[in-house]
Amino acid sequence: MFRESVPIAYDAPADLKKWPSLRNERVANRTPYLVYNGTLADCIRLLLAKPIKQISLYDIVTERQAAFDSNTLSPGDAAEIAMRKDFPKA
């Protein structure tokens, strides 16, 4: 979850990680692996470009910011952040 009124550093370093899966569901006793390392904005764009059936298998890990409750963002958080007016479109 994030706070809408607090600025977000979209150029902060971030990792897009994917959980190992079985029948399109996360395998809980496994560790997610790195798919992409770049900026928070890039990771959000890449995550939202994934097929909708697979999007729940991903997380974005970034440095802690005042706007975030955690340093791990869920796909739902990423989608909401992408809709912010200040999100860099390209």
Side-chain angles (χ1 to χ4, degrees), residues 18-27 30 33 54 57:
K18 183 175 189 241
W19 286 83
S21 62
L22 183 62
R23 291 187 275 283
N24 248 359
E25 295 196 18
R26 291 180 180 194
V27 178
R30 302 282 304 274
Y33 58 90
Q54 295 177 5
L57 301 175

Side-chain angles (χ1 to χ4, degrees), residues 44-80:
I44 290 172
R45 285 189 204 99
L46 286 171
L47 173 63
L48 297 180
K50 301 291 181 196
I52 195 74
K53 288 184 177 182
Q54 295 177 5
I55 204 166
S56 65
L57 301 175
Y58 293 86
D59 285 326
I60 295 173
V61 179
T62 188
E63 52 191 41
R64 191 81 171 225
Q65 296 188 37
F68 307 145
D69 292 337
S70 167
N71 67 333
T72 301
L73 303 176
S74 71
D77 293 336
E80 288 185 43

